[in-house]
Amino acid sequence: TAAVEEGVRTGTPWDLELPFVTARGRHLWVRAVGEAEYEDGQAVRLVGAFQDVTERRAMAAQLADALSRSTDLYDNAPCGYYSLDSQGRFVQVNRQMLQWLGCSREEALGGLGPRDFFTDTGRAIFRLRYPSFMAEGHFGPQDLELLSRDGSSRWVSASATALYDAQGVFVSSRSVMHDITEVRQARIEMARLNREQMAMLDNDLVGIAHGHEDQRGVRPRAGERAGAHQRQGSAADGSDHRSIGG
């Protein structure tokens, strides 16, 4: 190979991983290390060794594939994943979160944190809760309004757990945000409908109560009841009652 030729010419040792085919046709990956030995300024022999690294390379390929798939899942998840340092600044953030924030990854990792995208109320909650989160190790779920740099806003539910080192010192957060804008709007609409239904029910009950009061409160006197019965009887048989001698 070019590396061996360079080693023979200049005396530089080589350390390579190369595909290799055995005499029986097996395909392997080998690690080849070696150097040239010189006598009187001339390369007279090559010394070195081969090591079968086929299994190690296969394991490395599997790990790389797993890492690629987990990175893809992290970065393209339909929720916002991010990590914060002890100052509440982004140290890791996925693509969905960047889209919600309306900024680039470089901007987000350049010293920004979620509090830079909260309302005044959200910043107050963050300022109050983040120190206790670092000590206790968990936060949320907490509903917060997230303001994007493009002028849009959304409501999110934020939760987090803490990562500590072997000495128990806070390292970073493992945080997630879910968009609950539509769910929250549905809750508000349901609450409004419930209030309207309760108001209508209250009005119906008031009307029923008033009707009962009218039935109980207006009672004809005894003479009026008798006269009313006589008039009803006259109307029924068509007679005209008059006094004697009338």
Side-chain angles (χ1 to χ4, degrees):
T1 66
V4 175
E5 293 174 358
E6 178 70 15
V8 171
R9 187 174 66 254
T10 64
T12 304
W14 60 85
D15 188 342
L16 308 168
E17 290 190 3
L18 304 167
F20 184 80
V21 181
T22 69
R24 295 184 178 182
R26 289 182 61 204
H27 290 265
L28 307 173
W29 276 91
V30 297
R31 180 187 178 195
V33 296
E35 61 182 344
E37 288 188 347
Y38 292 82
E39 293 181 1
D40 299 326
Q42 296 293 321
V44 294
R45 69 183 63 87
L46 303 178
V47 295
F50 284 95
Q51 179 185 8
D52 186 349
V53 295
T54 306
E55 186 175 348
R56 179 177 63 76
R57 285 184 64 93
M59 292 179 61
Q62 291 175 1
L63 288 174
D65 180 62
L67 178 61
S68 175
R69 285 186 278 109
S70 63
T71 300
D72 178 75
L73 176 62
Y74 175 87
D75 217 28
N76 297 295
C79 55
Y81 285 128
Y82 59 97
S83 295
L84 306 177
D85 63 14
S86 60
Q87 302 301 312
R89 298 170 300 198
F90 291 118
V91 293
Q92 197 171 4
V93 58
N94 76 339
R95 185 176 291 119
Q96 181 65 77
M97 190 69 184
L98 291 172
Q99 181 180 339
W100 289 349
L101 300 179
C103 65
S104 67
R105 192 179 304 274
E106 290 73 20
E107 290 175 314
L109 301 181
L112 297 178
R115 61 188 163 201
D116 296 304
F117 302 88
F118 289 153
T119 62
D120 290 341
T121 300
R123 283 191 289 271
I125 293 173
F126 187 88
R127 185 170 55 252
L128 178 66
R129 298 288 304 278
Y130 199 69
S132 60
F133 157 70
M134 289 193 294
E136 298 170 2
H138 57 86
F139 170 81
Q142 174 70 53
D143 292 0
L144 297 162
E145 187 175 8
L146 192 67
L147 306 177
S148 173
R149 286 192 168 181
D150 64 11
S152 62
S153 67
R154 72 187 66 246
W155 278 89
V156 295
S157 176
S159 301
T161 57
L163 176 65
Y164 301 98
D165 65 14
Q167 287 71 43
V169 177
F170 178 84
V171 176
S172 64
S173 75
R174 294 170 292 209
S175 309
V176 61
M177 285 186 180
H178 296 278
D179 188 341
I180 60 168
T181 305
E182 293 184 0
V183 173
R184 188 173 186 275
Q185 187 59 42
R187 290 174 181 167
I188 293 174
E189 182 64 16
M190 185 175 296
R192 183 187 67 80
L193 293 174
N194 286 338
R195 287 194 301 270
E196 291 181 356
Q197 290 176 352
M198 290 302 297
M200 293 172 61
L201 180 60
D202 288 343
N203 289 336
D204 290 342
L205 291 176
V206 170
I208 292 172
H210 286 172
H212 288 171
E213 289 176 0
D214 290 343
Q215 292 176 6
R216 290 194 303 268
V218 181
R219 295 179 181 275
R221 290 186 294 273
E224 293 175 344
R225 288 199 299 271
H229 290 162
Q230 292 175 357
R231 287 192 295 273
Q232 290 173 358
S234 298
D237 59 16
S239 61
D240 184 12
H241 299 279
R242 289 183 172 80
S243 62
I244 298 175

